[in-house]
């Protein structure tokens, strides 16, 4: 029988291998890795995998002087996980080392390295952890971000990534103060409610009643800036998992939620059912789908998701930037399609959870060049809590280092466009 905590560590170790060696995102591998674990072990495995991915750069720095050569990937991940658990998580060294050795010994190909793992982990000086530099983004991502924002900003973004992300909620009825009082949170300037510390989402007051949903404060900005009105026909393109759909529906709009993924739309339907909100849910490819023109369209385009690394530290380890060019082309095609589905005089909100200007500012510059009569609605970008310095002639740029004293926000780009009447 496994020792307490070993099953969670084994699941976390398996997920680390799938992310770092197979290039898969944690969201893809998590269900299969933890579905047979009890709830406590499930949460522990996910937390350990996330923290190891977040602090992997620092763990490698601590391990480096004690490794004559780079170990096999599964062995290295066991070492990394153990170092993070001891240094960042404060776990007792004896149990962590014993578990890491057990993980390595259990694999036929890794078993010969068990002695080395034991020796290295007993020599590692976890007291030096806090003095090490914060984890840096990989070169494939760091270089374009430095070109866009400069080194000091990128360093501040990396600090926000290391800090992680608190829990943000969007109130269904719009009363942020009441929700904050109910869940013990704080109202943010843009109207979201932030809950600090580690919490179980489903145990918070109002969850079962659908009084709110989880949504980063930055992710809540696009639907707020679209400013849907009661009775308007609004299309939410690429809608799953549904946070923006629920915002639009709560505003009283006649919402059509469109997405190509049936699996992701199942989650959207669950969210609508829990909150008691209504939308016409359509599973189809947005580039082929047709309908009568809408009063407004919200396009949250597929993107690199580089603005969400504070919540998803697996992304820099699972991706290498090779898919960027295809994403840029898809975003341009979806923008053109969104305009074709928009009434004359209608408004389009384009957004991406990306830090790359190619997926934000550049897309707007290029769509304006392709379509005469299309204008950026600068005044519409000045919503509650939005600071003027975040806005330029193309749209609103949000970054993880903003609101650092409050816990940051995801990176987003948002633009509000109006089609000629």
């Amino acid at each position: 029988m496994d020792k307490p905590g070993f099953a969670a560590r084994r699941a976390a170790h398996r997920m680390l291998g799938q992310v770092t060696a197979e290039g898969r995102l944690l969201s893809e591998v998590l269900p299969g890795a933890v579905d047979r674990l009890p709830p406590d072990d499930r949460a522990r495995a996910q937390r350990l995998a996330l923290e190891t991915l977040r602090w992997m750069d620092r763990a490698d720095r601590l391990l480096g002087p004690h490794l004559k050569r780079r170990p096999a990937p599964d062995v290295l991940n066991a070492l990394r996980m153990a170092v993070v658990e001891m240094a960042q998580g404060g776990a007792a060294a004896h149990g962590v080392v014993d578990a890491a050795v057990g993980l390595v010994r259990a694999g036929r190909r890794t078993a010969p390295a068990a002695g080395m793992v034991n020796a290295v982990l007993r020599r590692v000086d976890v007291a030096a952890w806090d003095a090490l530099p914060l984890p840096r983004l990989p070169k494939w991502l760091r270089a374009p971000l430095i070109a866009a924002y400069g080194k000091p900003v990128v360093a501040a973004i990396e600090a926000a990534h290391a800090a992680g992300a608190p829990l943000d909620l969007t109130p269904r009825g719009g009363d942020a103060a009441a929700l904050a009082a109910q869940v013990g949170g704080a109202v943010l300037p843009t109207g979201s409610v932030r809950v600090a510390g580690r919490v179980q989402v489903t145990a918070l007051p109002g969850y079962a009643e659908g009084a709110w949903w989880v949504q980063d404060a930055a992710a809540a900005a696009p639907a707020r800036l679209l400013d849907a009105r009661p009775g308007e026909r609004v299309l939410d393109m690429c809608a799953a998992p549904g946070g923006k759909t629920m915002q639009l529906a709560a505003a009283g709009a006649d919402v059509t939620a469109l997405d190509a993924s049936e699996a992701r739309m199942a989650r959207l339907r669950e969210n609508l059912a829990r909150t008691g909100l209504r939308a016409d849910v359509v599973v189809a490819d947005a580039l082929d789908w047709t309908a009568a023109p809408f009063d407004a369209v919200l396009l949250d385009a597929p993107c690199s998701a580089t603005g969400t690394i504070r919540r998803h530290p697996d992304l820099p380890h699972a991706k290498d930037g090779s898919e960027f060019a295809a994403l840029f082309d898809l975003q341009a095609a979806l923008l053109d399609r969104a305009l074709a589905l928009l009434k004359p005089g209608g408004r389009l909100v384009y957004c991406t959870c990306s830090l790359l200007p190619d997926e934000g500012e550049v897309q707007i510059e290029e769509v304006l060049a392709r379509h005469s009569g299309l204008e950026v609605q600068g005044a519409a970008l000045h919503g509650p809590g939005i600071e003027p310095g975040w806005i330029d002639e193309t749209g609103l740029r949000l970054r993880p280092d903003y609101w650092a004293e409050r816990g940051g926000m995801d990176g987003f780009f948002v633009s509000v466009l109006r089609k000629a009447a």
Side-chain angles (χ1 to χ4, degrees):
M1 184 175 179
D2 289 339
K3 293 182 179 180
F6 188 78
R9 289 183 174 107
R10 182 169 53 209
H13 183 249
R14 184 183 306 121
M15 289 188 283
L16 289 175
Q18 290 172 310
V19 171
T20 59
E22 301 174 24
R24 300 174 65 188
L25 292 172
L26 199 60
S27 58
E28 300 172 15
V29 304
L30 181 65
V34 304
D35 59 353
R36 295 185 179 182
L37 297 178
D40 287 351
D41 277 351
R42 194 177 305 160
R44 183 176 183 177
Q46 182 177 6
R47 186 167 60 248
L48 185 52
L50 281 169
E51 287 302 287
T52 303
L53 290 162
R54 189 183 308 281
W55 294 101
M56 192 172 286
D57 180 81
R58 186 178 274 189
D60 286 350
R61 290 175 184 269
L62 204 60
L63 287 164
H66 305 288
L67 296 172
K68 293 181 180 179
R69 62 182 67 86
R70 188 179 180 88
D74 284 346
V75 175
L76 181 57
N77 281 335
L79 287 166
R80 289 163 163 167
M81 192 169 72
V83 167
V84 170
E85 199 172 0
M86 290 187 294
Q88 186 67 19
H94 175 75
V96 173
V97 173
D98 183 60
V101 171
L103 284 172
V104 173
R105 187 173 286 138
R108 182 173 56 84
R109 288 179 297 178
T110 59
M116 180 272 290
V117 168
N118 181 65
V120 167
L121 291 178
R122 293 187 185 281
R123 289 199 302 266
V124 163
D125 180 16
V126 295
W129 180 261
D130 290 336
L132 293 171
L134 289 174
R136 298 176 72 173
L137 291 165
K139 290 180 180 179
W140 62 263
L141 180 55
R142 200 170 198 267
L145 293 185
I146 287 174
Y149 306 115
K151 286 185 177 181
V153 168
V154 172
I157 289 172
E158 289 168 334
H161 291 167
L167 180 71
D168 290 351
L169 309 177
T170 297
R172 181 184 58 196
D175 191 341
L179 177 58
Q182 186 180 24
V183 300
V187 179
L188 295 172
T190 52
S192 294
V193 172
R194 177 156 291 178
V195 183
R198 189 178 295 164
V199 297
Q200 184 180 342
V201 171
T202 55
L204 287 174
Y207 173 82
E209 296 80 12
W212 47 264
W213 52 90
V214 175
Q215 187 178 33
D216 188 84
R224 289 199 179 110
L225 296 177
L226 184 136
D227 191 25
R229 295 148 202 167
E232 279 191 314
R233 291 184 65 248
V234 180
L235 173 64
D236 185 5
M237 294 177 71
C238 310
K244 298 174 183 67
T245 297
M246 290 185 286
Q247 287 179 278
L248 299 171
D254 178 8
V255 185
T256 297
L258 175 67
D259 200 281
S261 170
E262 176 61 53
R264 284 167 53 81
M265 285 300 250
R267 186 175 168 196
L268 183 145
R269 291 188 184 95
E270 292 172 1
N271 285 327
L272 288 173
R274 182 176 64 84
T275 56
L277 295 169
R278 186 192 173 281
D280 182 17
V281 179
V282 179
V283 178
D285 186 337
L287 294 176
D288 300 325
W289 184 73
T290 58
F294 291 83
D295 297 307
V297 176
L298 194 161
L299 170 57
D300 186 356
C303 70
S304 64
T306 47
T308 68
I309 292 172
R310 59 203 275 273
R311 296 187 186 276
H312 303 289
D314 51 316
L315 193 146
H317 303 287
K319 303 297 182 182
D320 61 6
S322 59
E323 75 279 15
F324 284 179
L327 284 171
F328 302 161
D329 291 343
L330 176 59
Q331 290 151 12
L334 286 169
L335 264 169
D336 292 342
R337 186 66 195 137
L339 289 169
L341 290 166
L342 186 64
K343 285 182 179 179
R347 60 201 186 281
L348 164 66
V349 167
Y350 169 81
C351 63
T352 57
C353 55
S354 170
L355 289 171
L356 297 168
D358 284 309
E359 298 184 281
E361 292 87 345
V362 174
Q363 287 290 355
I364 297 305
E365 291 170 357
E366 293 181 350
V367 77
L368 291 172
R370 292 196 301 273
H371 296 270
S372 61
L374 188 65
E375 293 182 348
V376 175
Q377 301 295 288
L381 295 168
H382 292 269
I386 300 298
E387 298 187 16
W390 300 351
I391 298 170
D392 69 8
E393 64 277 5
T394 62
L396 168 66
R397 166 57 66 188
L398 302 176
R399 300 197 317 243
D401 57 309
Y402 292 163
W403 288 352
E405 71 287 356
R406 293 187 174 99
M409 65 174 74
D410 282 353
F412 251 85
F413 175 82
V414 190
S415 187
V416 182
L417 304 164
R418 186 171 292 277
K419 188 176 181 179

